[in-house]
Amino acid sequence: MLPFASDYMEGAHEKILERLVETNYEHNPGYGTDAHSGHAKELILSACGLDADEADVFFLVGGTQTNQIVTDSLLRSYEGVLAARTGHVATHEAGAIEHGGHKVLELPEYDGKIKAADIAGYMETFLGDANHEHEVFPGMVYISHPTEFGTLYTVSELEEISGVCGRYGLKLYMDGARLGYGLAAGQYTEGLPDLKDIARLTDVFYIGGTKVGALMGEAVVYTRGLYPAHFVAIVKQHGGLLAKGWLTGIQFETLFTDGLYMEISGNAIRYAMELKKALQEKGYQFYIDSPTNQQFIVMSNERLKEVSQKVAYSFWCSYDEAHTVIRLATSWATRKEDVEALIALL
Amino acid sequence: MLPFASDYMEGAHEKILERLVETNYEHNPGYGTDAHSGHAKELILSACGLDADEADVFFLVGGTQTNQIVTDSLLRSYEGVLAARTGHVATHEAGAIEHGGHKVLELPEYDGKIKAADIAGYMETFLGDANHEHEVFPGMVYISHPTEFGTLYTVSELEEISGVCGRYGLKLYMDGARLGYGLAAGQYTEGLPDLKDIARLTDVFYIGGTKVGALMGEAVVYTRGLYPAHFVAIVKQHGGLLAKGWLTGIQFETLFTDGLYMEISGNAIRYAMELKKALQEKGYQFYIDSPTNQQFIVMSNERLKEVSQKVAYSFWCSYDEAHTVIRLATSWATRKEDVEALIALL
Amino acid sequence: MLPFASDYMEGAHEKILERLVETNYEHNPGYGTDAHSGHAKELILSACGLDADEADVFFLVGGTQTNQIVTDSLLRSYEGVLAARTGHVATHEAGAIEHGGHKVLELPEYDGKIKAADIAGYMETFLGDANHEHEVFPGMVYISHPTEFGTLYTVSELEEISGVCGRYGLKLYMDGARLGYGLAAGQYTEGLPDLKDIARLTDVFYIGGTKVGALMGEAVVYTRGLYPAHFVAIVKQHGGLLAKGWLTGIQFETLFTDGLYMEISGNAIRYAMELKKALQEKGYQFYIDSPTNQQFIVMSNERLKEVSQKVAYSFWCSYDEAHTVIRLATSWATRKEDVEALIALL
Amino acid sequence: MLPFASDYMEGAHEKILERLVETNYEHNPGYGTDAHSGHAKELILSACGLDADEADVFFLVGGTQTNQIVTDSLLRSYEGVLAARTGHVATHEAGAIEHGGHKVLELPEYDGKIKAADIAGYMETFLGDANHEHEVFPGMVYISHPTEFGTLYTVSELEEISGVCGRYGLKLYMDGARLGYGLAAGQYTEGLPDLKDIARLTDVFYIGGTKVGALMGEAVVYTRGLYPAHFVAIVKQHGGLLAKGWLTGIQFETLFTDGLYMEISGNAIRYAMELKKALQEKGYQFYIDSPTNQQFIVMSNERLKEVSQKVAYSFWCSYDEAHTVIRLATSWATRKEDVEALIALL
């Protein structure tokens, strides 16, 4: 089977495995207080153009955990999260945000993205209601970049959203489960934010490791002095504190040494763009115009039956009675020969 | 520095690292639905003498997370957990149990253990209070084995506790963060429960991986038909669902193949007993009589000053103005030469 | 000012005040264990045609509290509540449902009502998603009757919804904050459910007192054996247990003696229908066709300016640049002369 | 039966009932925004010697609700409450504090009171633990005054506790469910705090209405600028916002007009002191030396059998095999003739 089902179907980049083996018998202190984690934080802050005086980084294990902990750490009990109705926090986290007591306040979505104007509109309506203390207060805006549909915000869209958030006192949080692929897309698409833009324009975001070369791990970056007091206690209370914290530290240390994170993200995007171009030339209809590693195509159910004998893909949704939307995902682990075979086959 | 600070200061047993490298480019489905996880569950159920019809196993990442999820999965909102006042859930989880809405109801402790009679006494007082619907209902008993002091329950103590729990409708949960070391202690101390005893006498327990040879991971075993409906949703909601679930699956598959888990636990215990015997002969005072991998000794502060130049240990508590209690821990990773050097030095 | 702002702007019906004065120096036991509360429960069960063997009643203080406690008492942690997107739990309870950890899953609304077909559609989509353990499980359906727009379900609509709930294992909960007005509307509109229909078709509902003649208080009726074990503990844990429980008991005892609840509800509806008819004849445009005590009319902003000098009403929403929708509410406390004056004035 | 079971067995003081009847047909705005509530707040701030610029008052319905909302409003998620192990929040609220995610950290009790030195000791141990981010952070100190045993803090004890709280950054909260009786005790016992002392020395406290003449209601006073932003939303989210907020407003307006609160509290204390003196003279053994309206005496089980035919009292605890501790409580509603009859009988 050609492996295009998703970007978390393989273990980790070899360099990470090598480093884990090399460091296996070091005696590192626990809970992220080790030197590798410290070094990884420095490397990340530097890549983000952030100053350790007001920014900080913490390594968590997974995406839902990260979304939950960040939300709980920044919101007051009566505040909720504004998010696209297709946002991961709104749909696929089994109520992890509500488990922390917060409501996800849904905004319209445009291929998975939200608009600054809709945030402003929500706030105007909310503030305009004399009785708004009986409603959930918007406290944070959640965006994913890339979104669940592989789409990306431009720098100017991000600036607009950031501006609106500032105007209304909303924290801006970016879910970067696939951030590497979003950053690497900048090589093919103009106007996209780089890591420094993101660090400049959000209050907190995370750099996804699980889907970009690590066994597991997400690096949460609080950019602007909002790093919560006693964050370790908050993480521990959520059951999210890794005893062997250096495991995520070493992985991010490796990913942010010699540009590995961008290099492997770049491979995934290059293959995705080759695939996209080839499928466009073959006349395939794209469900969404995605600049990242997830490509969504419409396929007849008949054809799909054959294809599914040879290709591992993701079912996305029904298109109509005779057609289906499937997702093909490249990743840090994608091999040239598999892309070629896929193109040949489709 | 001689490495006796704790049992989670190194990565993982070589066989686990080897298996992670070997399987790195398999394309495993996510969230624990893979074949390695399935195989690991079978191996564990078999080792426990449990039947897949009424028992089930799930792999989580860490101990606090496991305690939290098990508690939330089994208790009604108004129920709490009876535990030793020194139990991990009562002291060192930053309120993770309370975060789920449950109170830890403290019982007296005897070197970290609780007594069946105290559970019964608590229940009689509770039920005898006409107004007990204004109190927190005891719903579960939490024990750790080994305890936080390295001590162990005997089979007969466990039978008594299990009996009392059954009589009062309390679920019995065992925190087995260091379970391997508790099981291996049976080679040196009589009357201790083996894995099948534990599976027979508890409702749910976990087999610790993080402190016994794995990078991370704990195997939760629901023994008696209490496996919660939609447990995946509960785990996801808590932010505890590992995307690459096979990572914990492969680790437990390896630990429960060819007796590796017991073998490496046995090494730790053998070294601990050698150390204990040697220190006894040298006349050291033991703070607690521990049959497992954690040994607690009383040392003069003066002597400790020297020792701390060469030995990594854990500060436990002050003994008196001139003495300190320290903990020396062996583990799966302990080497013969380090034990010998430590004995020579002390 | 003519008092039509809402139905909770006055204290309580005289008979209730009289009874509170008469019983003031009784020495009643606390927390709802008194004879008045017991008697009130019997009267309510009898009015509902329910059997004390499988049904039970509990008195709470307010509507949001009731919605929160009922939800928490019936749902598993990973379950949510299906509700109209305009439902009170979705909009005006400051996140009380999320505070208990549950998500409100929004359905389309039709003048505040939901449709059985939409519930079924939601469930089919949910169950059809192979990954639905990553979503919030629907566990309960919330309906309000009358709705926030004064509209009502017919018996056949309620039967359909009840049937769909049964088919998918969903509990059906009715918020009856204004239930009296909904019941009394049956005198003017055909096909509406009476109290026994509601008791037969829902799993739990509440009979609103706060808006129907009581100082405060709502009577929660669990109709079908779902009364939660140790409900007093659940209520206490939520801070909802009234020390002087007889205060709500006496109020409902009074309301359900000699048909007072229906009598005062009937007055409100009679005046509302007179008002509606008069305003229809005067050519007013109605925003919603409401059969209950809340009437929504469209008024030019200019005219509204004058009216607001003399009438206390509720602003509902903007209609267009030149018009506003206002709500006029009658209640148990409405006086004939005020209705006549209002009709004369408008 | 002579009515000495508790202080919440009767309705309300006549003046309160009169005012409720008088104001019944006013059309007051809801949720505590009415003029009565505003006036009551002014009266209370004035009685407390507090300035509306930095202090504020809010009316809630009951004591457990108040403890829960105050705790949730002031603590961060990882913080807990230090309290006597006999404190109401620790024992008789069915886990209401844990329901909000906070742990009650138990301190030793001395007839229901805690000591400043024990708070300081707890904090020193906590801060001295290098790993204290794995524990629950103490964030607030809870005291009850009178305590659950009827005892009171002196001004100097309160100053010490307040000082320690300030030193360690702990908020100081006083549960005043029976505050009136505590204040009135100052007529008989020296060195006790008055209302201004309490307002000066705590961060937040409540003035109990339910047990001191009101139908229901507690007045929460935030004394020092800690009144939470959007407190209405917090209360609503907890299900604690009374629709007809003026009902509690009017009751406190009445209680704080012409000294009614102190007058009726004084009656209860005068009768309690008469009873105490008479029973001392008759040679009764007192379980606790209480200066307030709750008196605890030791009685032989034989004698108690007779007494219980004629007196409503509270069982407190077993004293030994042949004796029982009972509580006799006076209240705002106690009548002279009943006290005399009780003294004659005992």
Side-chain angles (χ1 to χ4, degrees):
Chain A
M1 296 288 276
L2 295 171
F4 293 89
S6 195
D7 39 19
Y8 54 97
M9 314 315 268
E10 293 84 21
H13 191 273
E14 292 93 37
K15 285 195 187 159
I16 282 179
L17 290 183
E18 279 166 26
R19 288 295 293 150
L20 289 176
V21 171
E22 280 169 25
T23 58
N24 193 50
Y25 287 105
E26 290 181 0
H27 309 297
N28 279 297
Y31 307 113
T33 60
D34 64 286
H36 296 291
S37 297
H39 186 208
K41 288 179 188 190
E42 282 171 26
L43 292 169
I44 286 172
L45 287 179
S46 165
C48 293
L50 289 170
D51 186 337
D53 282 353
E54 62 167 17
D56 211 340
V57 179
F58 202 90
F59 301 110
L60 294 169
V61 170
T64 295
Q65 182 180 80
T66 302
N67 290 338
Q68 185 181 54
I69 290 175
V70 166
T71 303
D72 287 356
S73 76
L74 290 181
L75 294 188
R76 303 283 308 167
S77 68
Y78 53 90
E79 291 178 329
V81 191
L82 285 163
R85 67 174 190 76
T86 51
H88 205 257
V89 291
T91 55
H92 281 95
E93 302 193 346
I97 301 302
E98 290 79 11
H99 184 60
H102 304 290
K103 187 180 175 83
V104 179
L105 304 161
E106 296 186 3
L107 291 177
E109 56 87 27
Y110 309 88
D111 289 349
K113 292 160 64 179
I114 57 173
K115 292 192 175 167
D118 288 330
I119 301 171
Y122 192 101
M123 290 308 298
E124 287 303 319
T125 303
F126 172 77
L127 296 170
D129 181 351
N131 230 12
H132 68 252
E133 289 206 321
H134 291 213
E135 297 178 38
V136 173
F137 279 63
M140 192 164 90
V141 168
Y142 165 96
I143 54 177
S144 43
H145 180 87
T147 67
E148 295 71 18
F149 295 90
T151 52
L152 292 169
Y153 291 90
T154 63
V155 174
S156 71
E157 286 170 340
L158 210 51
E159 282 172 343
E160 269 190 274
I161 289 174
S162 186
V164 165
C165 287
R167 193 146 72 246
Y168 292 103
L170 300 164
K171 280 121 189 167
L172 179 56
Y173 169 49
M174 178 185 283
D175 176 338
R178 296 183 165 103
L179 190 61
Y181 307 128
L183 296 172
Q187 295 171 309
Y188 297 82
T189 306
E190 288 199 4
L192 298 180
D194 63 18
L195 196 50
K196 291 182 183 176
D197 292 323
I198 289 167
R200 175 173 56 91
L201 293 168
T202 66
D203 293 295
V204 54
F205 69 101
Y206 80 86
I207 302 172
T210 300
K211 290 171 178 166
V212 193
L215 287 173
M216 82 285 193
E218 327 294 335
V220 191
V221 186
Y222 286 86
T223 64
R224 301 180 187 172
L226 293 179
Y227 188 72
H230 307 301
F231 192 55
V232 166
I234 296 174
V235 173
K236 180 76 181 168
Q237 176 192 37
H238 281 76
L241 192 61
L242 198 60
K244 302 181 180 175
W246 69 84
L247 294 177
T248 44
I250 286 169
Q251 295 188 74
F252 275 96
E253 191 182 31
T254 309
L255 288 169
F256 278 82
T257 294
D258 299 335
L260 182 63
Y261 190 72
M262 289 310 299
E263 180 193 322
I264 64 178
S265 298
N267 287 348
I269 295 301
R270 193 174 62 251
Y271 291 135
M273 292 304 106
E274 286 176 21
L275 180 63
K276 184 178 184 179
K277 189 164 166 246
L279 297 183
Q280 280 171 330
E281 287 167 6
K282 285 172 188 247
Y284 276 93
Q285 180 188 346
F286 284 74
Y287 182 60
I288 286 165
D289 180 23
S290 159
T292 60
N293 71 314
Q294 303 180 80
Q295 295 296 322
F296 302 83
I297 58 175
V298 181
M299 192 173 274
S300 76
N301 295 346
E302 220 167 330
R303 179 84 179 95
L304 187 55
K305 218 168 169 180
E306 290 166 34
V307 165
S308 59
Q309 304 301 314
K310 301 196 177 157
V311 181
Y313 63 88
S314 283
F315 167 84
W316 199 252
C317 62
S318 264
Y319 186 75
D320 60 26
E321 284 197 12
H323 295 80
T324 296
V325 178
I326 65 166
R327 184 188 71 177
L328 298 166
T330 63
S331 81
W332 61 273
T334 301
R335 296 179 309 172
K336 190 175 169 51
E337 56 265 39
D338 289 335
V339 178
E340 289 170 356
L342 179 65
I343 290 172
L345 186 104
L346 291 179
Chain B
M1 297 290 273
L2 294 172
F4 293 88
S6 196
D7 40 18
Y8 53 97
M9 314 313 270
E10 293 83 22
H13 191 273
E14 292 92 39
K15 284 197 188 157
I16 283 179
L17 291 184
E18 279 166 27
R19 289 294 293 150
L20 289 176
V21 171
E22 280 169 25
T23 58
N24 192 50
Y25 287 105
E26 290 181 1
H27 309 296
N28 280 297
Y31 307 112
T33 59
D34 64 286
H36 295 290
S37 297
H39 185 209
K41 287 180 189 191
E42 282 171 25
L43 291 169
I44 286 173
L45 287 179
S46 166
C48 293
L50 290 170
D51 185 339
D53 282 353
E54 61 167 19
D56 211 339
V57 179
F58 202 90
F59 301 110
L60 294 169
V61 170
T64 295
Q65 181 181 80
T66 302
N67 290 338
Q68 186 181 54
I69 290 175
V70 166
T71 303
D72 287 356
S73 75
L74 289 182
L75 295 188
R76 302 283 307 168
S77 68
Y78 54 90
E79 292 179 328
V81 191
L82 285 163
R85 67 174 189 75
T86 50
H88 205 256
V89 291
T91 56
H92 281 95
E93 302 193 345
I97 301 301
E98 290 79 12
H99 184 59
H102 305 289
K103 187 180 176 81
V104 179
L105 304 162
E106 296 187 3
L107 291 177
E109 57 87 25
Y110 310 89
D111 290 350
K113 294 160 63 179
I114 56 173
K115 291 191 175 167
D118 288 330
I119 301 171
Y122 193 101
M123 290 308 297
E124 287 303 318
T125 303
F126 173 76
L127 295 171
D129 181 352
N131 231 12
H132 69 252
E133 289 206 321
H134 292 213
E135 297 178 39
V136 173
F137 279 62
M140 191 163 91
V141 168
Y142 165 96
I143 54 177
S144 43
H145 181 87
T147 67
E148 295 71 17
F149 295 88
T151 51
L152 292 169
Y153 291 89
T154 62
V155 174
S156 69
E157 288 170 339
L158 210 51
E159 282 172 342
E160 269 190 90
I161 289 174
S162 187
V164 165
C165 287
R167 195 146 71 245
Y168 291 102
L170 300 164
K171 280 123 188 167
L172 179 56
Y173 169 51
M174 179 185 282
D175 176 336
R178 296 183 164 103
L179 190 61
Y181 305 130
L183 296 172
Q187 295 171 310
Y188 295 82
T189 305
E190 287 199 5
L192 298 180
D194 62 17
L195 196 50
K196 290 183 183 175
D197 291 323
I198 289 168
R200 174 173 58 88
L201 294 168
T202 67
D203 292 296
V204 55
F205 69 101
Y206 81 86
I207 301 172
T210 300
K211 290 171 177 163
V212 193
L215 286 174
M216 82 286 192
E218 326 295 335
V220 192
V221 185
Y222 286 85
T223 64
R224 302 179 187 170
L226 293 179
Y227 189 72
H230 307 302
F231 192 57
V232 166
I234 295 173
V235 174
K236 180 77 180 168
Q237 176 192 36
H238 280 77
L241 191 62
L242 198 61
K244 301 181 180 175
W246 69 84
L247 293 177
T248 43
I250 286 169
Q251 294 187 74
F252 276 96
E253 191 182 31
T254 308
L255 287 169
F256 277 82
T257 295
D258 299 335
L260 182 62
Y261 190 72
M262 289 310 298
E263 180 193 321
I264 63 178
S265 298
N267 287 347
I269 294 301
R270 195 174 60 249
Y271 290 136
M273 292 304 106
E274 285 176 21
L275 180 62
K276 183 178 184 178
K277 190 164 163 245
L279 296 183
Q280 280 170 331
E281 287 168 6
K282 285 173 189 248
Y284 276 92
Q285 181 188 349
F286 284 74
Y287 183 60
I288 286 165
D289 181 22
S290 160
T292 60
N293 70 314
Q294 303 180 79
Q295 295 297 321
F296 302 84
I297 58 175
V298 181
M299 193 173 274
S300 76
N301 295 346
E302 221 166 328
R303 179 83 179 96
L304 187 55
K305 219 169 168 183
E306 292 166 35
V307 165
S308 61
Q309 305 301 315
K310 301 197 177 155
V311 181
Y313 63 89
S314 283
F315 168 84
W316 199 252
C317 60
S318 265
Y319 185 75
D320 59 26
E321 285 197 11
H323 297 80
T324 296
V325 179
I326 65 166
R327 185 188 68 177
L328 297 168
T330 63
S331 81
W332 62 273
T334 300
R335 294 178 311 169
K336 191 176 170 48
E337 56 266 38
D338 289 334
V339 177
E340 289 170 357
L342 179 64
I343 290 172
L345 186 104
L346 290 179
Chain C
M1 297 286 276
L2 295 171
F4 293 88
S6 195
D7 39 19
Y8 53 98
M9 313 315 268
E10 293 83 22
H13 191 272
E14 292 93 40
K15 285 196 187 158
I16 282 179
L17 291 182
E18 279 165 28
R19 288 293 293 149
L20 289 175
V21 171
E22 280 168 26
T23 59
N24 193 49
Y25 287 105
E26 290 181 0
H27 309 296
N28 280 297
Y31 308 113
T33 59
D34 64 285
H36 296 290
S37 297
H39 186 210
K41 288 180 189 191
E42 281 171 27
L43 292 169
I44 286 173
L45 287 179
S46 165
C48 293
L50 289 170
D51 185 340
D53 282 353
E54 61 167 19
D56 211 339
V57 178
F58 203 90
F59 301 110
L60 294 169
V61 170
T64 294
Q65 182 181 80
T66 302
N67 291 337
Q68 186 180 53
I69 289 176
V70 167
T71 303
D72 287 356
S73 76
L74 289 181
L75 294 188
R76 302 283 307 167
S77 68
Y78 54 90
E79 292 179 327
V81 191
L82 285 162
R85 66 174 190 75
T86 51
H88 205 257
V89 290
T91 56
H92 281 96
E93 302 192 347
I97 301 301
E98 291 78 11
H99 185 59
H102 304 289
K103 187 179 175 84
V104 179
L105 304 162
E106 297 185 3
L107 291 177
E109 57 87 26
Y110 309 88
D111 289 350
K113 292 160 65 179
I114 57 173
K115 292 192 174 167
D118 288 330
I119 301 171
Y122 192 100
M123 289 308 297
E124 288 302 319
T125 303
F126 172 76
L127 295 171
D129 180 351
N131 231 13
H132 68 252
E133 289 205 322
H134 291 214
E135 297 178 38
V136 173
F137 280 62
M140 191 164 90
V141 168
Y142 165 96
I143 54 177
S144 44
H145 180 87
T147 68
E148 295 72 16
F149 295 89
T151 52
L152 292 169
Y153 291 89
T154 63
V155 174
S156 70
E157 286 169 341
L158 210 51
E159 281 172 342
E160 269 190 275
I161 289 174
S162 187
V164 165
C165 287
R167 194 146 71 247
Y168 291 103
L170 300 164
K171 280 121 188 165
L172 179 56
Y173 170 50
M174 178 186 282
D175 177 337
R178 296 184 165 102
L179 190 61
Y181 306 129
L183 295 172
Q187 297 171 308
Y188 297 81
T189 306
E190 289 199 4
L192 298 180
D194 62 18
L195 197 50
K196 291 183 183 176
D197 292 323
I198 288 167
R200 174 174 56 90
L201 293 169
T202 67
D203 292 296
V204 53
F205 69 100
Y206 80 86
I207 302 172
T210 300
K211 291 172 177 163
V212 193
L215 287 173
M216 81 287 192
E218 325 295 335
V220 191
V221 185
Y222 285 86
T223 64
R224 300 179 186 170
L226 293 178
Y227 189 71
H230 306 302
F231 192 56
V232 167
I234 295 174
V235 173
K236 181 77 181 167
Q237 175 193 38
H238 281 76
L241 191 62
L242 198 60
K244 301 182 181 175
W246 70 83
L247 293 177
T248 44
I250 286 169
Q251 295 187 74
F252 276 96
E253 191 181 31
T254 309
L255 288 170
F256 278 82
T257 294
D258 298 335
L260 182 62
Y261 191 71
M262 288 310 298
E263 179 193 323
I264 63 178
S265 298
N267 287 348
I269 295 301
R270 193 175 62 249
Y271 292 135
M273 292 305 105
E274 285 175 21
L275 180 63
K276 184 177 183 179
K277 189 161 165 250
L279 297 183
Q280 279 171 332
E281 286 168 7
K282 285 171 187 248
Y284 276 92
Q285 180 188 349
F286 285 73
Y287 182 60
I288 286 164
D289 180 22
S290 159
T292 61
N293 71 313
Q294 303 179 79
Q295 295 296 321
F296 303 84
I297 58 175
V298 182
M299 193 174 273
S300 75
N301 296 346
E302 218 165 331
R303 179 85 179 93
L304 187 54
K305 220 168 166 179
E306 292 165 33
V307 165
S308 58
Q309 305 301 314
K310 301 195 178 157
V311 181
Y313 63 89
S314 283
F315 168 84
W316 199 253
C317 61
S318 264
Y319 185 75
D320 60 26
E321 285 197 12
H323 296 79
T324 295
V325 178
I326 65 166
R327 183 188 71 176
L328 297 167
T330 62
S331 81
W332 61 272
T334 300
R335 295 180 309 172
K336 191 175 169 51
E337 56 265 39
D338 289 333
V339 177
E340 288 170 357
L342 179 65
I343 290 172
L345 185 105
L346 291 179
Chain D
M1 297 287 276
L2 295 172
F4 293 88
S6 195
D7 41 17
Y8 53 98
M9 313 315 268
E10 293 83 22
H13 191 272
E14 293 90 40
K15 286 198 187 156
I16 282 179
L17 291 183
E18 280 166 27
R19 288 294 293 151
L20 289 176
V21 171
E22 280 169 26
T23 59
N24 192 50
Y25 288 105
E26 290 182 1
H27 309 295
N28 280 296
Y31 308 112
T33 59
D34 63 287
H36 296 290
S37 297
H39 185 210
K41 288 180 189 191
E42 282 170 27
L43 292 169
I44 286 174
L45 287 178
S46 166
C48 293
L50 290 170
D51 186 339
D53 282 353
E54 59 167 20
D56 212 339
V57 179
F58 202 90
F59 301 110
L60 294 169
V61 170
T64 295
Q65 181 181 81
T66 302
N67 291 338
Q68 185 180 56
I69 289 175
V70 167
T71 303
D72 287 357
S73 77
L74 289 182
L75 295 188
R76 303 284 306 169
S77 68
Y78 53 90
E79 291 179 328
V81 191
L82 284 163
R85 65 173 191 77
T86 50
H88 205 257
V89 291
T91 56
H92 281 96
E93 302 193 345
I97 302 301
E98 291 79 12
H99 185 60
H102 304 289
K103 186 180 177 82
V104 179
L105 304 162
E106 297 186 3
L107 291 177
E109 56 87 25
Y110 310 88
D111 289 349
K113 292 161 64 179
I114 56 173
K115 292 192 174 167
D118 288 330
I119 301 171
Y122 193 101
M123 290 308 297
E124 287 304 317
T125 303
F126 172 76
L127 295 170
D129 180 352
N131 231 12
H132 67 252
E133 290 206 321
H134 291 212
E135 296 177 39
V136 173
F137 279 62
M140 191 163 90
V141 168
Y142 165 95
I143 53 177
S144 43
H145 181 88
T147 67
E148 295 72 16
F149 295 88
T151 52
L152 291 169
Y153 292 90
T154 63
V155 174
S156 70
E157 287 170 339
L158 209 52
E159 281 172 344
E160 270 190 90
I161 289 174
S162 187
V164 165
C165 288
R167 195 146 72 246
Y168 292 102
L170 300 164
K171 280 120 188 166
L172 180 55
Y173 169 50
M174 180 186 282
D175 176 336
R178 296 183 165 103
L179 190 61
Y181 306 129
L183 296 172
Q187 297 170 307
Y188 296 82
T189 306
E190 288 199 5
L192 298 180
D194 63 16
L195 197 50
K196 289 183 183 174
D197 292 322
I198 289 168
R200 173 174 57 90
L201 293 169
T202 66
D203 292 296
V204 54
F205 69 100
Y206 81 86
I207 302 172
T210 301
K211 291 171 177 162
V212 193
L215 287 173
M216 81 286 192
E218 326 294 335
V220 193
V221 185
Y222 285 85
T223 65
R224 302 181 186 169
L226 293 178
Y227 189 72
H230 306 302
F231 192 57
V232 167
I234 295 174
V235 174
K236 181 78 180 168
Q237 174 193 37
H238 281 76
L241 192 62
L242 198 60
K244 301 181 181 176
W246 69 85
L247 294 177
T248 44
I250 286 169
Q251 294 187 74
F252 276 96
E253 191 181 32
T254 309
L255 287 170
F256 278 82
T257 294
D258 299 334
L260 182 62
Y261 190 71
M262 288 310 299
E263 179 193 323
I264 62 177
S265 299
N267 288 347
I269 295 301
R270 194 175 60 251
Y271 292 135
M273 292 304 105
E274 286 175 20
L275 180 62
K276 186 178 182 178
K277 189 162 165 249
L279 296 183
Q280 280 171 331
E281 286 167 7
K282 286 171 187 246
Y284 276 92
Q285 181 188 347
F286 285 74
Y287 183 59
I288 286 165
D289 181 23
S290 160
T292 59
N293 71 314
Q294 303 179 79
Q295 295 297 322
F296 303 83
I297 57 175
V298 181
M299 193 173 273
S300 76
N301 294 346
E302 222 166 327
R303 178 86 179 95
L304 187 55
K305 220 167 167 180
E306 290 165 35
V307 166
S308 60
Q309 304 302 314
K310 302 197 177 154
V311 181
Y313 62 90
S314 282
F315 167 83
W316 198 252
C317 60
S318 264
Y319 185 75
D320 59 26
E321 285 198 11
H323 296 81
T324 297
V325 179
I326 64 166
R327 184 187 69 177
L328 297 167
T330 63
S331 80
W332 61 273
T334 300
R335 296 178 310 172
K336 191 176 170 50
E337 56 265 39
D338 289 333
V339 177
E340 289 169 356
L342 179 65
I343 289 172
L345 185 102
L346 290 179

